[in-house]
Amino acid sequence: MALLEVVDVSKIFPGVRALDSVSFTLQPGEVHALVGENGAGKSTLIKVLTGVYQPDGGELRYQDSPAQFGTPMDAQRAGISTIYQEVNLVPLMSVAQNLFLGREPRNKLGLIDRGRMEREAREVLAGYGVTTDVRRQLGTLALGAQQMVALARAVMIDAKVVIMDEPTSSLEPREVQTLFGVIRDLHVRGIGIIYVSHRLDELYEICDAVTILRDGRLVHTGKLAGLERIKLVSLMLGRDMAEVRREGATAFSGAATGHDEDPPVLRVRGLNSRHKLHDISFDVRPGEVVGLGGLLGAGRSETVKAIGGAYHLDSGQIEVDGKELKKPTPVRAVQAGVAVQPEDRKAEGIVPGLSVRENIALAILPRVSRGGFVSDAKIDAIVDMYMKRLRIKASSPDQAVGDLSGGNQQKVLLARLLATDPKVLLLDEPTRGIDVGAKAEVQSLIDGLAAEGLGVVLVSSDAEELVEGSDRVVVLRDGVVVGTLTGAEVTTEDLMSTIATEAPREH
Amino acid sequence: KSEDSGTTSAAGAPSAGAQVVQSADPSAATCTLEQYGGTKVDLKTAKVGFSQSEKEANPFRIAETQSIKDEAAKLGITNLTTTNANSQFNKQISDVEQMIDSGVQLLVIAPLNSDGWDSVFAKASAKKVPIITIDRKINATPCKDYLTFIGSDFAEQGKRAADEMAKAMGNKGKVAILLGSPGNNVTTLRTSGFKDQIAKIAPDIQVVFEQTGNFSREEGQKVTEQLLQSNPDINGIYGENDEMALGAITALKSAGKKAGDVKVVSIDGTKGAVQAIVDGWATAVIESNPRFGPLAFETATKFFGGEPVGQDIIIQDRQYGTDNAKTDISAAY
Amino acid sequence: MSTETVAARPVVDAARLKAWLPKYGVYAAIVLLVVYNIFFTPYFATWSNLRIQLIQVAPIVIVALGMALVIGTEGIDLSVGSVMALAAAFIPLYLGYGVVAAILVALLAGVAVGLINGVLVAKVGLQPIVATLALFVGGRGLAVVISEGKLVDIRNPDFLYLGSGDLLGIPVLVWIAALMVLIVGFVMRRTVFGRRLLAVGGNRPAAELAGLPVKRVLITVYVVCAVLASIAGLLSVARIQSSDASSVGLLIELSAITAVVVGGTPLTGGKVRVLGTVAGALLMQLVIATMIKHNLQPSTTEMVQAVIILIAVYVARERKTR
Amino acid sequence: MTMTNVSGPETPAIVAEDVRKAERTDRVVGTIQRQGALAVLVVVVLIALATFPNFRSFDNAATILVAAAPPMLIALGMTFVIITGGIDLSVGSLYVLGGVLAAWASQYGILAAFLLPLAVCGAIGLVNGLLIAYTRMAPFIVTLAALLGARGLMRAISAEGSNTYLVQDDTFRKLGNGSFLNIGYQVWLVAGLVVIGMVVLARTRFGASVYSVGGSEDAASLMGVPVRRTKVWVYVLSGLLAGLAGAINAAKLGSGVTVLGTGMELDAIAAVVIGGTLLTGGAGTIAGTIAGVLLLGVIQNLINQVGNLNSNWQQVISGAFLALVVVAQTYLVRLRRVT
Ligand SMILES: Nc1ncnc2c1ncn2[C@@H]1O[C@H](COP(=O)(O)OP(=O)(O)OP(=O)(O)O)[C@@H](O)[C@H]1O
Ligand SMILES: Nc1ncnc2c1ncn2[C@@H]1O[C@H](COP(=O)(O)OP(=O)(O)OP(=O)(O)O)[C@@H](O)[C@H]1O
Ligand SMILES: [Mg+2]
Ligand SMILES: [Mg+2]
């Protein structure tokens, strides 16, 4: 008896067949992995299951009878609860309100019982390791904490199916374990779970079954246990197993490319920002990849943004290529050769309504123009090069970036940064939400860029990526540098122990 | 009643353009301090309020406000408050209410609208504040809700415009009306007065076109431009104020018409319009005299002095035509 | 690039129409209206009629162009009518120093208002509708104060040439509007400023992080909009042959916004349709002209306008797939 | 830039304490910001009390309140609309239309005088809401069309505005001009509705939906909030309140005046924004709106108190004052962000 079933479902967007006769079955109590490259159609399938999109063909069956969900509300009422890829809560409302929106506890008069709502919210969230004032605006929480609120909300509903689209992409390891605990609990209670993730370790840790999509088509479905890891990846990529086998866990070469004797291309001294950053100092030499390690909320994003001129600093000194960057603003930073890839690509990265071409050329307009008039030929040459180099999948350079899959949006963003010919590249979670194929491409790209002499600062919550990708790791905690790992120290174990044990240095 | 019968001059010899009361019909209703139930006050020291309806941004309103202020100064009235509703009717109501609250003893109001004064009357009658409405009449009971009305007869103005138009067109042809702002009772009366009179005296004149120009020169011009395209054979244009008529004349000029091809008659009596008669583009202008100051304060003085004052003081409006435009232009405002 | 994922397109006519209508609906509506008028409105299909319609629409087109740019940055400018009034107020004061001086002063007034709007929006961070509301209220008052409430007749023939003269058989006014359309179209298509403007409207934080001079772009946009409005203001004065600060450009902000939106530029920013804006203004002009020529009452005109706006915008609305 | 932190970074305990303090400051400043309009109102009123003897009278206060009653209703509806991220430009026309309908219907009694404007204006609000919610047309343009359409309708039923219907029903008229405790009945009515509005917005699921739709429409819809229904309702509400405002105004004026000033919608928007509601939606309070409406009313009153000011200067001053208040508001928000 299947819990949820789709038969031959298709979904067509202008120019893209996002789902092409895909069939999929979810059993009760099953944790079913849904995997595929960026743009394979995972999110689209989920949105079809939950009534966000109406399928263009095929059938949807729920608990053995044909079903049709006109809105997410319908699906939710029927017991299908979803955590979407991008955190989908209301940032301006309080944590408690977000948790209870639409099913607030009410008093005898039918009015919302605020006290009870807040009390219950505190209790529920404590179970997910989030201890915060539930009256705070949700938007002021870190992404990870927001994701936990979304999770708590989804599970609180009396759900029979819980769908999670890349729930761990913004969680820290401790939070991931909390999540897995919840999933196991749901599994025991016979609830079906659809789990989308690009992190293969996670899949093998908690999933029973797997369905693999490629370019909108179903390529494999079955038990996960028997499926070799390499086989899974090759199915996803549609490439030969042997070819995949040659590549490691990440695409980083591991060879240090920096030279200690070179003068630093980026020198950061004593960055201070009230309550957030305290005396942050480090150097980046040309050709070096410096990782910024730490838990969520450690201040890594703030550090990166501050260097890029987009975060208020009370004091501190930034030098790029020996020249001081005075009173940093994004304009001055870009001019000085600093390129920042923000953490939240939807809100601060791409311009969704503009085409791939416009997005890539955005920051270099003065360079491809004369006297204020742009040269389309110059732009086309650059755009063409980066689309090829980063293998950006778009129907044409004129496609709106908002219509691309997450991974491709990220690549467009990277292309924009690289086009500015930066001296220092600051990457905040560059591979978040990117499939294995694209991830490898981005990683080897970072390596290549470093080899070309760029200074790179890498922020990543993926410890493995951070360790393999960085020549040196600066570890932050609560806005303070708590240690630096160099040479042989750059290992996951050392990183974890530095984060966990070492107390902040005292002067 | 002839043109110049029964003129009781306002204050001695009428200066150029001063208002003149139409007729002092002895049987016409009057009002006294006793009837109204107010108290006697000395105007010089009294608190007087004047509520203007529209911005002082056209000749009529500028002249009207200025006339009130000048006369007050002349009479030595030091405590005059003026407000302006900027064409917002609700603002005029609260402006007036606020003046009543602050204890004015005489109100002169240029109402934006003839109806809708209930709350003001309720407040004013409690305090027995005499109200003189000028230029537009309020639909209520004189000597009870308000003291008296001083102003022109708008329907009569329309009628006189019709007479002039009929004369100029030789009692036949097609005429277009440039209406004032919709919903305004000046518009309504100037329209009905004109149309009724045309129907009566010159049934061969057809009103073929009626569109609003909102009392503005620009819109008068725009509408006339459209009119000339759709009715190239138009013979006469009646502008319900001078501004629209002047806009119409600009349109006529740029459409290649010659002065006098299309007869233009309008109401108000501004300098520009009278000049247009001199230049030959306009045929006649019926005056609507805005200089209410002397008459209003004279009425108030009489009222507080215990004398009876008329409940409906209709002023006599001049008229400009080809015969007198040149000589009388100095009286225009 | 994934050319293989592109679905084999079954060429359904309805679907094609669906894609076509939002883009070309305004033009289709204009054609329909013209055809109707040719058959049912006497003297419509004449050169002099076309001339009048173009002359009347020219100032609205000029203002709407600036408005389209502001709307492209996800803003709105309510103060355009007041700017026209200010320009009108300055013309007679400075005409004594020559036409050029008067025009320069009028344009400077536009620059000043635009700077205030721009600074309030970009630097102080006010929401555009409120920032420009202040000058919408105060600007016209100031204009009337400057002109002392007087309507002044303009007689300078050089200046009047702008409003009623012809060049190669086409009114100067129309030439100027056409020139503005070309310039704005060119700016949006080919210049750094145009592209930055769209990026700022499409995602302001992203534009900021990408190192674009966002504030400068915003201030420039409001200045350009106000300067265009002051051009419209001085042209209106030249056309009416008199300067009346209290009435010139009254309610033009609504006409301009309507033209922009009917022309297919979304109020959410990130996109500007220059030709669409011209078409939007023309459509509304034709609607009003048709109503007047058929001597319909204001009530009917207003209700018909409402319905046409709704239909035009419905057809041209952004189709979201979800 | 120099290093100011000579003693080096604080210990974690101090950092935590610091963060707590920051959060507290944040809340305090947040409250001031939310009540910014009220603060400005208090300051303005205090200055006025000290400067203008005529401002001090009870009558004057009552006049201000009565004059503010219809704008308050309109701004109340507008607050709901703006919190959903929308805007309603049609309210000014609906207000005039409501007044004309109420005056006409008063010949059939007081009930009719209320029900007809509510029904018609509510229906137009419904059309606005349906178009906005189901066709994704921009609220600005839909309600702009409704502004024209409603005005056309008003003119069509009043012989192009020349026909002013007089209020026939004495009870209805009484409601407009009578008072309780020397404060007009309308003020009490509006106060009651405002309190209900506050409760609805802050303490009901509908209110929560309103905030969520404005805060993030996509998220709200994915969280199962009936986004479209919420939008439809706020426009219906706005239409109803505008119609009601028109009706009580007709009761006060004793007739269905057709030439009530335009621009009422912009005043309402200004009041709501001054009250701290974000035009982008998702945040705002009715308490702020009350302060915003009263502030505009008091400014108007003060300009009259100055007396003999040329009408054009009055407008310049209104504009400047508006800018000043909004800049002050924004500055308070900025203060909050920097901490
Ligand atoms: N609203 C849309 N309009 C047009 N195309 C779309 C839309 N949404 C998705 N697509 C396209 O459909 C395809 C599938 O996208 P989808 O988001 O389902 O991929 P995904 O597997 O979730 O990728 P990722 O791992 O990057 O999240 C992509 O090519 C994408 O560009
Ligand atoms: N679990 C949590 N519960 C409550 N608040 C949190 C939690 N985690 C972080 N925060 C708060 O969220 C804010 C923003 O953190 P932010 O994401 O900017 O940090 P970060 O170091 O850049 O993290 P990362 O780059 O890894 O996402 C911080 O003020 C932090 O105190
Ligand atoms: Mg996805
Ligand atoms: Mg971060």
Side-chain angles (χ1 to χ4, degrees), chain A residues 96 99-100 103-108 111-124 134 156, chain D residues 203 205:
Chain A
L99 202 55
F100 283 96
R103 44 172 199 278
E104 293 89 350
R106 289 187 284 196
N107 62 18
K108 288 182 289 291
L111 300 179
I112 294 173
D113 187 342
R114 281 250 180 101
R116 205 173 107 204
M117 187 168 91
E118 281 160 13
R119 207 170 45 246
E120 286 179 12
R122 256 194 306 278
E123 285 162 11
V124 170
V134 295
M156 268 168 68
Chain D
R203 300 292 298 274
R205 286 189 184 171

Side-chain angles (χ1 to χ4, degrees), chain B residues 47 54-57 69 78 80-84 86-91 93-95 97-98 101-103 112-113 115-120 122-123 127 182-184 188 214, chain D residues 54 57 59-60 63 66-67 95 155 160-162 164 166 173 177 249 251-255 257-262 264 300-302 304-305 307-312 314-315:
Chain B
K47 236 176 148 169
E54 292 169 12
K55 268 194 281 190
E56 282 94 6
K69 285 187 176 168
T78 48
L80 174 77
T81 315
T82 62
T83 60
N84 190 306
N86 284 322
S87 303
Q88 308 269 332
F89 186 64
N90 271 329
K91 181 173 185 307
I93 298 295
S94 51
D95 283 351
E97 288 183 357
Q98 193 185 338
D101 290 338
S102 73
L112 188 61
N113 195 53
D115 294 296
W117 292 87
D118 278 20
S119 61
V120 166
K123 224 169 186 154
K127 296 197 173 182
N184 193 307
T188 314
N214 280 313
Chain D
N54 285 332
S57 74
D59 283 352
N60 191 50
T63 299
V66 170
Y95 170 66
R155 288 192 174 145
E160 297 308 312
S162 65
T164 306
L166 298 183
R173 196 190 299 259
N177 285 309
N249 193 50
K252 177 186 174 195
L253 302 182
S255 54
V257 177
T258 57
V259 295
L260 294 178
T262 45
M264 196 85 177
Q300 195 76 79
N301 194 279
L302 285 184
N304 282 346
Q305 300 282 0
N308 298 341
L309 207 55
N310 178 294
S311 58
N312 304 308
Q314 289 189 15
Q315 295 231 280

Side-chain angles (χ1 to χ4, degrees), chain B residues 151-210:
Chain B
S152 310
D153 180 340
F154 297 131
E156 176 66 22
Q157 291 171 343
K159 207 171 133 195
R160 286 165 67 192
D163 290 338
E164 292 305 312
M165 183 64 89
K167 204 157 65 188
M169 287 172 63
N171 290 331
K172 63 172 191 295
K174 291 181 178 173
V175 69
I177 305 180
L178 301 179
L179 302 168
S181 312
N184 193 307
N185 65 325
V186 179
T187 303
T188 314
L189 291 172
R190 284 182 185 168
T191 309
S192 60
F194 181 84
K195 281 164 81 176
D196 293 350
Q197 182 72 357
I198 285 284
K200 207 161 92 194
I201 62 165
D204 285 343
I205 292 182
Q206 261 181 294
V207 177
V208 292
F209 185 91
E210 283 175 70

